[in-house]
């Protein structure tokens, strides 16, 4: 679909992305989810991008192996180059091939390309499944990289122990090879005995720090990372160890020109409604990581995406004050905003303020809409909406005691002073970033139009700047007065 900075194939969805950067171009292999019934077998497709904004679909890359093949479903893997040959290692699964536990067996497979990743030759003789001590139904997402110090190749594998509490058997298993053909099992790469599984693992070195990234297949269902000064650990837990919230999953990274980008997907919701259950697969979305001195990471959309919004639609003049000592006050900028827009606001939060933030697709009176809410007392940003689900007309039949949209919460320090809020909305996609460090992605289905506003609750906030831009020329410009001051009655 034609979205700048995002990608979804026509009549299908993007599953796990396998990124590969070569000669300045990102080759993004991904699991092509058609959601057809009966299931046709999962293939890899590929898109390429040079600018992280425009994505060109090149079509199927690695097809399903066929109804009877071990790789009827071609699941997640990785790409490496050796002696001018591209190698992919990937997961194969066939629901008709079951292990001792009665579940479909997962295996690691190998294919090579000598024509620049245009075609692939499979090598079924290199296939192998779970080694002793691991469940046969969880042996997937092989990530292969070169360990120059040890002089060998390492493969990280999503696996589960055969023993232990059911929800804490997850482990990143490890195999090593000298020729990319035969693999020998060695000790686990990481074994915290905490999660169901560590999906889509990867490891990389960046400016003297090592990073272990995986997607938590447990109660949180989010992408996490750990930091170390050594490939072999120990791995420390950053204060905020997630890339995004519940809606952004299976992110893996690639680097270019000293920058590192993560490619994941924003999950769709069943039925295309705000109350629908999160679904597997969605729309490709890119986040850029930046390093802090302690090795922890900040995340935000790449600047290339922000640069596509260059037409001012509305603005709010510097110095606008919202005050509500013991109540609530909002300001909705008149006029509806196009379906694709970007908000860039800096809000100076007064000491003791309970909440403030931005309204999206709001009604003219601000009573309905989506809410990106900063909560200084709780040091978090949350996504919310009103009205919430209703089962009837009475007060107790409205979901009013839910503090925010479930699973859409990110921790971050919010001391008094200025904080920058950036929000990109493109149709039903929404990616919000606070202070260029903490990102929260979601979907906006039910409300398709409305205005932008700001609000405060139990405190005071000064809007130092607020600008709404689109990528569409010819939109009007509207700026409220410099001396707008809103005080609760």
């Amino acid at each position: 679909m034609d979205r700048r900075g995002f990608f979804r194939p026509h009549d299908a969805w993007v599953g796990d992305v396998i990124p590969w950067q070569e000669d300045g171009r990102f080759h993004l292999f991904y699991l092509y989810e058609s959601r057809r019934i009966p299931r046709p077998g999962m293939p890899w497709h590929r898109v390429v991008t040079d600018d992280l904004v425009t994505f060109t679909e090149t079509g199927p890359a690695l097809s399903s192996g066929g109804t009877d093949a071990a790789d009827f479903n071609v699941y997640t893997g990785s790409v490496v180059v050796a002696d001018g040959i591209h190698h992919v290692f990937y997961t194969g699964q066939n629901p008709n091939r079951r292990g001792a536990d009665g579940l479909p067996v997962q295996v690691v497979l190998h294919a090579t390309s000598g024509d620049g990743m245009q075609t692939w030759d499979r090598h079924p003789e290199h296939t192998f499944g779970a080694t002793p001590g691991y469940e046969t139904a969880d042996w997937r997402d092989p990530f292969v990289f070169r360990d120059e110090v040890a002089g060998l190749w390492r493969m990280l594998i999503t696996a589960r122990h055969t023993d232990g509490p059911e929800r804490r058997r997850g482990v990143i298993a490890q195999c090593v090879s000298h020729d990319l053909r035969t693999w020998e099992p060695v000790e686990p790469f990481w074994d915290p005995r905490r999660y169901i599984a560590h999906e889509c693992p990867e490891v990389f070195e960046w400016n003297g720090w090592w990073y272990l990234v995986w997607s938590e297949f447990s109660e949180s269902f989010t992408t996490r990372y750990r930091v170390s000064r050594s490939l072999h650990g120990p791995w420390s837990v950053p204060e905020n160890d997630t890339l995004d919230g519940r809606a952004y999953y299976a992110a893996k990274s690639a680097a270019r020109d000293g920058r590192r980008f993560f490619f994941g997907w924003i999950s769709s919701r069943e039925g295309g409604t705000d109350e629908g259950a999160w679904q597997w697969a969605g729309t490709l979305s890119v986040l850029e990581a930046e390093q802090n001195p302690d090795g922890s990471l900040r995340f935000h959309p790449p600047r290339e995406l922000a640069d596509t919004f260059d037409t001012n639609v509305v603005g709010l003049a510097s110095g606008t004050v919202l005050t509500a000592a013991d109540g609530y006050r909002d300001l909705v900028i008149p006029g509806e905003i196009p379906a694709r827009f970007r908000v860039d606001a800096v809000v100076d939060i007064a000491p003791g303020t309970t909440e403030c933030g931005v309204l999206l697709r709001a009604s003219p009176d601000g009573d309905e809409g989506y809410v990106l809410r900063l909560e200084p007392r709780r040091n978090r940003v949350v996504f919310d909406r009103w009205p919430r689900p209703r089962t009837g007309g009475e007060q107790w039949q409205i979901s009013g005691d839910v503090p925010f949209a479930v699973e859409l919460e990110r921790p971050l320090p919010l001391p008094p002073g200025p904080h920058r809020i950036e929000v990109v909305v493109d149709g039903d996609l929404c990616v919000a970033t606070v202070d260029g460090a903490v990102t929260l992605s979601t979907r906006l289905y039910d409300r398709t139009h409305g205005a932008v506003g700001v609000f405060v609750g139990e405190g005071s906030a000064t809007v130092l700047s607020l600008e709404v831009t689109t990528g569409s020329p010819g939109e009007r410009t509207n700026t409220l007065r410099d001396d707008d001051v809103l005080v609760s009655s």
Side-chain angles (χ1 to χ4, degrees):
M1 298 180 70
D2 186 16
R3 281 174 160 167
R4 304 192 72 189
F6 303 96
F7 171 78
R8 206 199 97 190
H10 180 67
D11 289 337
W13 288 260
V14 174
D16 303 351
V17 180
I18 300 94
W20 177 255
Q21 190 278 136
E22 189 169 304
D23 297 329
R25 170 167 290 185
F26 293 101
H27 300 260
L28 307 175
F29 300 93
Y30 67 94
L31 275 56
Y32 182 88
E33 173 59 277
S34 66
R35 295 182 182 163
R36 287 167 49 195
I37 301 296
R39 306 291 289 178
M42 178 76 71
W44 281 15
H45 279 218
R46 179 176 59 150
V47 293
V48 297
T49 181
D50 299 319
D51 59 8
L52 300 165
V53 170
T54 304
F55 298 91
T56 301
E57 171 73 73
T58 67
L62 197 61
S63 64
S64 164
T67 304
D68 299 324
D71 55 352
F72 171 73
N73 290 313
V74 178
Y75 289 153
T76 310
S78 58
V79 181
V80 296
V81 170
D83 299 324
I85 300 296
H86 290 85
H87 298 251
V88 295
F89 295 89
Y90 63 98
T91 308
Q93 187 249 33
N94 189 321
N96 295 321
R97 296 189 175 197
R98 298 183 176 267
D101 53 10
L103 298 175
V105 170
Q106 293 182 342
V107 293
V108 171
L109 297 102
H110 180 209
T112 56
S113 174
D115 59 6
M117 300 182 289
Q118 299 304 308
T119 61
W120 296 93
D121 296 317
R122 285 173 160 90
H123 302 286
E125 69 276 14
H126 299 159
T127 301
F128 66 100
T131 55
Y134 297 117
E135 295 181 356
T136 61
D138 288 272
W139 189 254
R140 61 183 179 275
D141 308 341
F143 178 77
V144 175
F145 67 100
R146 181 69 179 174
D147 181 349
E148 295 293 353
V149 174
L152 48 75
W153 296 91
R154 296 186 183 275
M155 178 187 291
L156 310 186
I157 305 172
T158 296
R160 280 171 50 83
H161 292 290
T162 55
D163 66 304
E166 177 67 24
R167 291 185 298 118
R168 296 200 296 274
R169 294 182 188 175
V171 57
I172 298 179
Q174 181 179 200
C175 295
V176 297
S177 175
H178 292 278
D179 59 7
L180 292 175
R181 289 168 176 78
T182 57
W183 293 89
E184 174 189 355
V186 293
E187 71 284 348
F189 187 83
W190 194 55
D191 192 9
R193 292 279 184 163
R194 180 173 181 184
Y195 303 107
I196 294 175
H198 316 95
E199 296 194 304
C200 303
E202 71 164 324
V203 67
F204 59 88
E205 186 274 338
W206 190 16
N207 296 332
W209 293 95
W210 284 90
Y211 294 89
L212 170 63
V213 183
W214 82 96
S215 289
E216 177 195 336
F217 185 57
S218 284
E219 66 275 6
S220 294
F221 209 73
T222 190
T223 303
R224 299 185 182 274
Y225 75 99
R226 296 290 184 264
V227 185
S228 177
R229 283 294 192 181
S230 167
L231 170 63
H232 305 290
W235 300 97
S236 61
V237 184
E239 184 174 356
N240 186 353
D241 70 335
T242 55
L243 276 64
D244 201 313
R246 167 62 176 84
Y248 189 73
Y249 195 67
K252 296 179 72 173
S253 72
R256 185 178 70 182
D257 299 331
R259 302 166 67 190
R260 183 159 289 270
F261 304 94
F262 283 83
F263 302 86
W265 42 267
I266 299 176
S267 177
S268 58
R269 283 185 179 272
E270 188 174 354
T273 68
D274 289 340
E275 278 300 296
W278 294 112
Q279 295 176 300
W280 186 87
T283 302
L284 170 68
S285 180
V286 186
L287 295 180
E288 182 172 0
E290 294 188 47
Q291 288 179 306
N292 295 314
D294 64 355
S296 61
L297 300 176
R298 308 183 300 279
F299 296 94
H300 56 79
R303 60 175 179 264
E304 288 84 350
L305 177 59
D307 290 343
T308 67
F309 297 87
D310 54 10
T311 303
N312 181 260
V313 181
V314 294
L316 191 59
S318 178
T320 301
V321 179
L322 288 83
T323 298
D326 188 20
Y328 174 88
R329 181 62 65 189
D330 62 34
L331 169 60
V332 178
I333 304 174
E336 289 195 2
I337 304 300
R340 183 179 189 267
F341 64 93
R342 179 175 181 265
V343 179
D344 190 347
V346 178
V347 180
D348 192 343
I349 305 174
T353 298
T354 296
E355 63 181 33
C356 67
V358 174
L359 304 175
L360 304 171
R361 293 183 177 164
S363 59
D365 62 2
D367 199 40
E368 297 186 2
Y370 298 106
V371 182
L372 186 73
R373 186 168 63 241
L374 277 59
E375 300 182 348
R377 293 180 185 271
R378 297 182 174 90
N379 283 316
R380 70 183 182 185
V381 56
V382 303
F383 183 82
D384 205 350
R385 63 188 174 94
W386 188 263
R388 296 194 180 110
R390 304 181 187 211
T391 58
E394 304 300 333
Q395 185 274 337
W396 61 84
Q397 294 170 319
I398 301 174
S399 180
D401 60 347
V402 180
F404 53 87
V406 176
E407 300 177 307
L408 295 178
E409 169 194 20
R410 300 297 314 285
L412 82 161
L414 289 170
H419 295 274
R420 186 178 184 185
I421 304 170
E422 300 170 87
V423 186
V424 169
V425 174
D426 189 345
D428 57 20
L429 299 171
C430 178
V431 181
T433 308
V434 181
D435 292 336
V438 174
T439 303
L440 181 60
S441 301
T442 188
R443 295 274 183 172
L444 313 179
Y445 284 116
D446 295 353
R447 295 187 64 85
T448 58
H449 60 277
V452 168
V454 288
F455 70 93
V456 69
E458 298 171 349
S460 180
T462 302
V463 181
L464 301 181
S465 64
L466 187 151
E467 184 179 59
V468 182
T469 53
T470 77
S472 303
E475 300 290 350
R476 65 180 177 82
T477 299
N478 179 27
T479 303
L480 298 189
R481 301 189 313 271
D482 289 346
D483 57 351
D484 282 318
V485 178
L486 300 184
V487 182
S488 63
S489 57

